[in-house]
Structures are given as C-alpha cells and as structure tokens.
C-alpha cells in the first residue's frame, strides 16, 4: 500500500510530502488550552484535528513524541494591562486562588478529552513548571540585542529583528509597516519602543498574585514565550510539526518563530499546521464573543440554540466530517445529519457479521472491496481528508446493505477485508466508538425497558382474563431467571443471577 503522506505547510502555503527530520521518529507540538474556564467546541476541534494527525502518524509506523502544553500562567489579552491576566480575573470572579482555577479547569479539560476519545499526548508540560527556562531564554534575547527592558518588563524588539534581515510576519503574510500603522494604542504601550513589540516578561503589580522572581524584578512570563521554551526543550531546536488553531497564526505563532530564530539562528519548525474555526452564523465560536455553547449544554440539550441533546461521538463525527482546514458552521441541521451519518456507519459495522458469505464475490463487490483500503489511505495521505474517508465508508455501508438484501454476493475473504478496513478507519483512525451496547448503565436501562414492556403485555392479558397468556409470560420469564411478583402496589421483578 502507498503511504506517502502530504500535509499543508502554513509557512510555505502549499502541500508538501512529509519527511521527518529523524527517520521513523516524529516530534509534534500542539498549543494546548488556557485553563481558566471550560473548553468549548471550538477548542475541541483543534485537539480533535491533531488527534487524527497523531493517530495517522502512529498508524504509519512513526514513533511520535506528542507534546501539548497547559497554559496556566501569563496569558494576557494584551501586553498593556496586567489586570487582563485571565487567571487573576477568573480567580476574583470565582473567589478561588489562581492555582485552584488552574486545577479545576485542567481536570475538566482531561475529562472532556476522555469523553471524546482523544489519545493523551506523550508529554503535557505546564507554563508554571518552566519559569526558569523562560527567564533564561529572555536573558539570551536581551544579551543578543533582540529584546530590551522597560520599567521591569522585557519586550521583544520587532524592528531590530527585521533590521537584521529577518522577517516578522512571514507566517501570517503580514507587512511590518502595515502592522505598525494599523496598531491601536493600548494602556501601558508607552513602555514599548514600538506597538508591535511583544512581552517576554511582565512586571507584576503589587496586587498580582501569580508572580516569580527574575533579574528584572517580580513578574510573570509572556504568553508566547512558553511554547518556544517547552517545544524546543522536549523536541529539540528543530522538530517536525507545530500545530494549533488558525486564530493562533498571529500573533502567537508569529512570535514563536521570531523568538526561536532570534535565539538559535534558524527555524525550529519544519511543518506548521493550522486547523480552521467552528463558526456560528459565519462568526467564530469563542469565549470572548459569548456565542459558544458549553459541552454540557450539547450533551443535555439545555440551550436555546439546540433542538435536542447530542452525544460526544455525534459531535466528533460532525467535526471530522469537514476537512481540518475548512470552517465548520454550527447548526442543528448539521448535527442532526451527523447523528444520522454516525448511526448509518455504526449500523453498517454491526451488520458486517450478519452477511452470509458466498463462495465468491460478484465482480462489482470484489472490485470495491479490493480498492477500498487504498482509497481510504489516499484520502488520509492527501492532507488528512477525513470527509473523503467517511464518504468511502458510507459506500461500504451501501455494499453491506446490498449483500444483506441478496442483491450482491461477497466471499469470506472479501468479508474479512471489508470488516478489517471499516474497523481500522472508523475506530483506530477516526477515533469513533459505538455508544450503543458498550455502556453498562445504558445497556441495563434498555434491558429494563424491554422487561417492563413484556410485563405490560402480561397485565393487559390479565385485564382481558387471558390467563393462559399471562401465565405463559410469567413462566417464560421464570425459565430465563426472572422472578415476577404480583403485589398490591403492582408488579415487581428481579433477575436472579
């Protein structure tokens, strides 16, 4: 089978054949959550997109070191006002210590990833666990003339970077002169030489709780610094893939590139990958815009924008039904279609065992089965085209139905190949799982409903004085281990194990 993976490199603006720096080994870094509140669907899309990348690379035989950070300090909404520290703001709102906020929402984040069946990264470092390394990188940038101290804070000098023949704006295709002209003044910008300079280290105000000692006084690291430090610490000065949401291209990833190139003299990342956004009526879904729906609301249906509750796998299917670089516009109709699509796929897989194989397949069926695996590989290898993979699996469901309806014939070998291919791409690579019959509580609830329905039929038989039917139902249940009792309060039953 052909396994030449091509991925879209945001830095080059085109698809490239993926060639790892070290044969059979891949280093991948993905920007993780800022743990000051619950994750929403837009966040989940990023982690789900790179979960598929991770699964794909592992399937292709690579040993993958997957690093995804936890931002638990230093994420300012801008460099001007330290009161915009999201952890401090949330701690005041919830009347908790900032690190209680961090712990609360980190635990929630991990629960969410488990619910959506995402594989854990191999390393999950935190910003607060790497303060020393961030101070050291800031000192190097200062010593090399790429940064300057101002009033206890340290800023990266963007103009100096470009004066040395480097290109701040290369990832997002921004022109530095236009950036300077279009930047609005922010409170505290007077500390900066230029408005596009970004904070490497911020001086803490006397009331600021999250603070660490540094050569420039007590403060905390800038948001962009942590990812450069942690990615290179665990993956080396050069590594294969850096991923994140498209909204992080500028300024976050642009700043990461500048910090790395200034400190080590070359690019740290070979392939930059960015997933697109989930939109609501064409507008990005996000906490800051207030148009997001919490995951709990999705699971319960308790939101005015939802017509019903949706399961985690329906949402996973919804996200993977679109290519990671395309936008996904949220709507109830889209989620309902995903629910039907997931049911169709899971029913098809469940029906694989119901097919009665023939001695040989008919020509059309054999040709389809023999090509299915490679077609799915081709879609996966063409910049991770999950919608095309799903389309191929739907075609397989049609073949299964044709066999069950005796409109097609399939051999034992083709049946096994079809089953192996469908399960590989559905469960191992797309990361979907059956939500029916795998949960004990759900199974027991459904089991009880069936018994109650049978006992209701018995009650109707008794009302009609059809004692023979009534006794037959009771005796049959007894033979199968059910103890049925008629009491003054109604019928009770239990299963004797």
């Amino acid at each position: 089978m052909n396994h030449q993976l091509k991925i879209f490199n945001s830095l080059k603006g085109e698809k490239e054949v993926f060639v790892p720096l070290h044969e059979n080994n891949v280093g991948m870094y993905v920007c993780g959550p800022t743990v000051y509140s619950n994750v929403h669907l837009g966040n989940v899309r990023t982690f789900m997109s790179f979960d598929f990348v991770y699964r794909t690379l592992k399937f292709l035989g690579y040993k993958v070191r997957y690093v995804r950070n936890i931002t638990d300090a230093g994420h300012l909404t801008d460099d001007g006002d330290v009161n915009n520290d999201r952890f401090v703001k949330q701690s005041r709102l919830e009347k908790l210590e900032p690190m209680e906020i961090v712990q609360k929402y980190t635990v929630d984040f991990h629960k969410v990833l488990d619910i959506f069946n995402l594989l854990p990264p191999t390393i999950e470092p935190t910003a607060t666990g790497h303060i020393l390394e961030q101070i050291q990188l800031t000192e190097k940038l200062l010593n090399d003339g790429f940064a300057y101290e101002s009033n206890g804070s340290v800023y990266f000098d963007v103009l100096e970077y470009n004066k040395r023949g480097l290109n701040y704006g290369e990832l997002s295709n921004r022109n530095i002169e236009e950036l300077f002209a279009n930047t609005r003044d922010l409170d505290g910008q007077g500390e900066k030489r230029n408005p596009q300079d970004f904070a490497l280290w911020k001086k803490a105000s006397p009331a600021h709780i999250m603070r660490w000692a540094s050569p420039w006084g007590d403060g905390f690291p800038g948001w962009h610094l942590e990812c450069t430090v942690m990615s290179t610490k665990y993956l080396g000065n050069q590594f294969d893939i850096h991923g994140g949401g498209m909204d992080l291209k500028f300024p976050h990833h642009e700043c990461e590139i500048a910090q790395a190139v200034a400190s080590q003299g070359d690019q740290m990342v070979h392939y930059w990958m960015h997933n697109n956004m989930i939109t609501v009526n064409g507008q990005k879904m996000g906490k800051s815009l207030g148009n997001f729906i919490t995951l709990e609301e999705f699971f319960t249906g308790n939101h005015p924008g939802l017509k019903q509750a949706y399961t985690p796998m329906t949402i996973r299917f919804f996200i993977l039904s679109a290519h990671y670089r395309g936008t996904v516009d949220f709507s109830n109709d889209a989620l309902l279609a995903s629910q039907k699509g997931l049911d169709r796929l899971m029913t098809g897989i469940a029906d694989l065992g119901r097919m009665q194989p023939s001695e040989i397949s008919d020509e059309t069926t054999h040709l389809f089965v023999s090509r299915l695996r490679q077609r799915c590989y081709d879609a996966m290898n063409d910049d991770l085209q999950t919608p095309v993979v799903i389309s191929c699996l739907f075609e397989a469901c049609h073949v299964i139905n044709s066999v069950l309806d005796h409109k097609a014939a399939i051999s034992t070998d083709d049946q096994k190949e079809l089953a192996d291919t469908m399960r590989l791409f559905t469960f191992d690579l797309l990361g979907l799982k059956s939500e029916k019959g795998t949960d004990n509580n759900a199974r027991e609830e459904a089991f009880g409903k069936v018994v109650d329905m049978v006992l209701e039929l018995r009650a109707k038989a008794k009302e009609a004085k059809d004692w023979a039917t009534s006794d037959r139902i009771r005796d049959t249940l007894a033979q199968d281990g059910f103890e049925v009792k008629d009491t003054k309060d109604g019928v009770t039953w239990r299963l004797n194990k």
Side-chain angles (χ1 to χ4, degrees), residues 72-88 127-128 131 134-135 138 152-154 199-214 216-226:
D72 58 351
H75 191 160
L76 297 178
T77 52
D78 62 65
D79 283 340
D81 186 359
V82 294
N83 291 319
N84 280 329
D85 187 311
R86 297 178 177 188
F87 300 99
V88 173
T128 54
I131 298 296
Q134 292 177 81
I135 289 173
T138 301
S153 295
V154 181
L200 300 172
W201 187 265
K202 285 295 293 183
K203 177 182 178 181
S205 66
H208 203 279
I209 303 170
M210 299 182 81
R211 57 200 295 139
W212 291 266
S214 81
W216 318 285
D218 285 359
F220 52 93
W223 170 33
H224 315 302
L225 196 64
E226 61 175 290

Side-chain angles (χ1 to χ4, degrees), residues 299-317:
F299 300 152
T300 62
N302 186 25
H303 186 278
L306 296 172
K307 292 180 181 177
Q308 65 172 66
Y310 297 97
T311 67
M313 287 302 105
T314 296
I315 295 171
R316 183 171 181 122
F317 188 88

Side-chain angles (χ1 to χ4, degrees), residues 47-202:
F47 307 126
M48 198 173 291
S49 297
F50 288 97
D51 181 67
F52 183 69
V53 176
Y54 185 33
R55 288 170 181 270
T56 298
L57 291 169
K58 283 164 66 73
F59 169 73
L60 293 177
Y62 293 113
K63 182 180 179 182
V64 185
R65 177 174 286 181
Y66 175 17
V67 183
R68 187 186 63 215
N69 72 300
I70 296 285
T71 296
D72 58 351
H75 191 160
L76 297 178
T77 52
D78 62 65
D79 283 340
D81 186 359
V82 294
N83 291 319
N84 280 329
D85 187 311
R86 297 178 177 188
F87 300 99
V88 173
K89 289 174 73 173
Q90 195 67 21
S91 69
R92 289 171 181 163
L93 187 66
E94 297 193 33
K95 295 182 172 58
L96 295 171
E97 287 287 330
M99 293 314 291
E100 286 183 287
I101 294 295
V102 166
Q103 178 68 8
K104 174 181 177 180
Y105 293 112
T106 300
V107 169
D108 173 75
F109 171 65
H110 289 144
K111 285 181 179 177
V112 166
L113 298 195
D114 286 342
I115 287 171
F116 285 108
N117 198 31
L118 270 68
L119 300 176
T122 47
I123 301 175
E124 192 173 57
T126 63
T128 54
H130 297 78
I131 298 296
L132 177 62
E133 292 92 337
Q134 292 177 81
I135 289 173
Q136 290 171 341
L137 179 55
T138 301
E139 287 181 310
K140 177 168 177 51
L141 292 170
L142 270 169
N143 292 338
D144 292 346
F146 284 103
Y148 57 90
E149 182 185 352
S150 177
N151 193 30
S153 295
V154 181
Y155 295 97
F156 188 93
D157 192 332
V158 171
L159 270 183
E160 178 62 29
Y161 181 79
N162 274 37
K163 282 178 183 176
R164 301 196 193 185
L166 304 171
N167 182 15
Y168 182 79
E170 61 183 316
L171 178 66
S172 54
N173 293 316
R174 281 170 161 82
N175 179 287
I176 192 168
E177 285 77 18
E178 291 177 4
L179 288 175
F180 278 39
N182 295 331
T183 301
R184 62 186 178 88
D185 290 330
L186 298 168
D187 293 337
Q189 290 268 19
E191 293 181 355
K192 299 182 182 183
R193 293 176 183 170
N194 301 292
Q196 285 299 326
D197 295 348
F198 55 89
L200 300 172
W201 187 265
K202 285 295 293 183

Side-chain angles (χ1 to χ4, degrees), residues 176-331:
I176 192 168
E177 285 77 18
E178 291 177 4
L179 288 175
F180 278 39
N182 295 331
T183 301
R184 62 186 178 88
D185 290 330
L186 298 168
D187 293 337
Q189 290 268 19
E191 293 181 355
K192 299 182 182 183
R193 293 176 183 170
N194 301 292
Q196 285 299 326
D197 295 348
F198 55 89
L200 300 172
W201 187 265
K202 285 295 293 183
K203 177 182 178 181
S205 66
H208 203 279
I209 303 170
M210 299 182 81
R211 57 200 295 139
W212 291 266
S214 81
W216 318 285
D218 285 359
F220 52 93
W223 170 33
H224 315 302
L225 196 64
E226 61 175 290
C227 288
T228 302
V229 161
M230 289 187 281
S231 62
T232 53
K233 175 171 182 174
Y234 295 109
L235 298 174
N237 284 347
Q238 291 189 336
F239 57 93
D240 297 296
I241 296 172
H242 192 315
M246 197 167 285
D247 56 327
L248 296 182
K249 258 190 180 184
F250 186 88
H252 184 51
H253 291 162
E254 201 73 73
C255 295
E256 278 194 67
I257 289 175
Q259 289 166 164
V261 172
S263 62
Q264 65 188 42
D266 55 13
Q267 292 279 352
M268 63 177 181
V269 179
H270 278 217
Y271 302 90
W272 283 92
M273 296 182 70
H274 293 91
N275 66 281
N276 216 320
M277 301 175 291
I278 290 182
T279 57
V280 181
N281 298 321
Q283 187 179 39
K284 173 193 169 185
M285 177 183 285
K287 298 171 189 174
S288 59
L289 298 172
N291 65 348
F292 69 97
I293 300 172
T294 68
L295 298 174
E296 181 181 356
E297 288 167 339
F298 274 109
F299 300 152
T300 62
N302 186 25
H303 186 278
L306 296 172
K307 292 180 181 177
Q308 65 172 66
Y310 297 97
T311 67
M313 287 302 105
T314 296
I315 295 171
R316 183 171 181 122
F317 188 88
F318 166 66
I319 291 174
L320 293 176
S321 293
H323 187 237
Y324 78 95
R325 287 194 291 113
T327 56
V328 178
D329 197 50
F330 160 79
S331 71

